Amino acid sequence: MKLYLSVDMEGITGLVDHTHVDSGRHNYERGRRIMTDEANYVITAAFDAGCSEVIVNDSHSKMNNLLIENLHPETQLITGDVKPFSMVQGLDSSFGGAVFVGYHARASLMGVMSHSMIFGARNFYINDTAVGELGFNAYVAGYYDVPLLMVAGDDRAALEAEQLIPNITTAAVKQTISRSAAKSLTPAKAGQLLREKTAAAIKNKDKVRPLTPPDKPVLAIEFANYGQAEWAALMPGTEIIPDTTTVRYQAKNILEAYQAMLVMTELAMRTSFC
């Protein structure tokens, strides 16, 4: 089986605040080493479980965090920015399954560093379903008929995955105390958990169905303030829902909705708060 691995950073073992995930902060180099080790635990377990190929997509911030020189030599890494499909770049129907590592809960929910792409988004919706990065990325996998087999991250990301996808395997490497505090496993213990859960997820793969996206989905993004909505609504085809900070877009499919989300959130980040 060919396995797709998307690796974010906020849900990695022991990382709890911006100093761990911001490349300009003092804890970042520690964070990226732990992130790389965590990816390796999953990659190695996947090969040991019989996977023929593992493609890894660095999915955090500028997407150049994973230390390629330390990765399992048989894997291939998608790295760098800009990517047309961001956190799910390279995912297609050739994969037998996907695994998300280092993931976090969606915006407006409790969870370590919870957010949805940018910190100015309150909610993403596909039709009437609230999704975060995890759910949106799972929908893209589902478009290609690829099941999301496992999610690793904090306990709230695990709960979000379990609510979206029946029979999914989850690996909670830390328990949320607040948005910037957690009770975490040590990296060694997390590694043991990730190896065990990866093996179980691959064994369980036939019991997990892809998260099929709706046809012609309506994307809606609720922003923190009206200025962000104004910027996002500069994208052709969008509209601000009157008397709200929500911008809506009618997409032809989930891939177009995903790229619309990328454009809208990038525009919204241009907003000044003063």
Side-chain angles (χ1 to χ4, degrees):
M1 182 180 75
K2 184 178 176 183
L3 186 70
Y4 183 88
L5 183 60
S6 175
V7 186
D8 203 356
M9 201 168 188
E10 287 88 356
I12 295 294
T13 301
L15 310 191
V16 294
D17 61 33
H18 70 286
T19 68
H20 292 109
V21 300
D22 182 336
S23 61
R25 299 294 181 167
H26 66 283
N27 277 320
Y28 171 73
E29 289 300 326
R30 290 178 57 233
R32 72 191 303 211
R33 288 195 298 270
I34 299 170
M35 178 190 188
T36 303
D37 288 345
E38 207 134 298
N40 270 332
Y41 292 132
V42 175
I43 296 164
T44 301
F47 280 125
D48 288 346
C51 288
S52 58
E53 188 175 354
V54 179
I55 305 297
V56 179
N57 184 31
D58 191 326
S59 298
H60 175 71
S61 188
K62 294 301 180 182
M63 303 190 176
N64 57 3
N65 311 279
L66 289 167
L67 298 166
I68 192 169
E69 62 272 27
N70 293 342
L71 283 178
H72 190 293
E74 296 304 316
T75 195
Q76 296 179 68
L77 176 65
I78 300 172
T79 182
D81 193 30
V82 174
K83 299 171 184 171
F85 285 96
S86 188
M87 300 179 76
V88 283
Q89 182 65 37
L91 180 56
D92 60 31
S93 59
S94 68
F95 291 91
V99 169
F100 296 166
V101 174
Y103 270 58
H104 52 81
R106 63 181 175 85
S108 300
L109 294 184
M110 184 179 181
V112 178
M113 293 183 277
S114 59
H115 67 281
S116 296
M117 299 302 286
I118 63 171
F119 293 110
R122 286 179 175 160
N123 286 292
F124 288 173
Y125 295 96
I126 296 297
N127 292 352
D128 294 324
T129 301
V131 296
E133 296 169 22
L134 191 163
F136 217 146
N137 293 344
Y139 269 143
V140 173
Y143 176 85
Y144 291 111
D145 202 33
V146 176
L148 178 58
L149 303 180
M150 185 178 93
V151 168
D154 70 0
D155 57 329
R156 298 294 170 152
L159 177 62
E160 188 174 326
E162 290 162 359
Q163 291 173 339
L164 279 171
I165 302 170
N167 300 319
I168 192 171
T169 300
T170 58
V173 299
K174 55 192 175 188
Q175 304 293 314
T176 302
I177 294 173
S178 72
R179 196 171 173 276
S180 56
K183 182 173 71 173
S184 180
L185 299 178
T186 62
K189 275 300 220 183
Q192 180 181 342
L193 175 68
L194 289 167
R195 288 191 297 265
E196 292 171 354
K197 291 288 190 173
T198 301
I202 292 171
K203 184 177 181 180
N204 190 56
K205 63 183 177 61
D206 293 334
K207 297 180 181 178
V208 183
R209 306 309 309 154
L211 185 65
T212 304
D215 295 329
K216 298 181 179 179
V218 175
L219 167 68
I221 303 180
E222 180 187 8
F223 292 99
N225 67 51
Y226 200 79
Q228 291 168 319
E230 288 175 323
W231 269 107
L234 292 178
M235 190 183 82
T238 59
E239 62 173 348
I240 301 176
I241 297 175
D243 301 318
T244 75
T245 59
T246 299
V247 182
R248 183 167 50 198
Y249 179 77
Q250 172 67 68
K252 64 182 181 183
N253 57 37
I254 200 68
L255 300 185
E256 186 178 80
Y258 194 89
Q259 290 194 314
M261 175 273 292
L262 295 176
V263 173
M264 291 161 68
T265 52
E266 286 290 328
L267 285 169
M269 285 194 293
R270 299 177 64 88
T271 306
S272 171
F273 286 86
C274 58

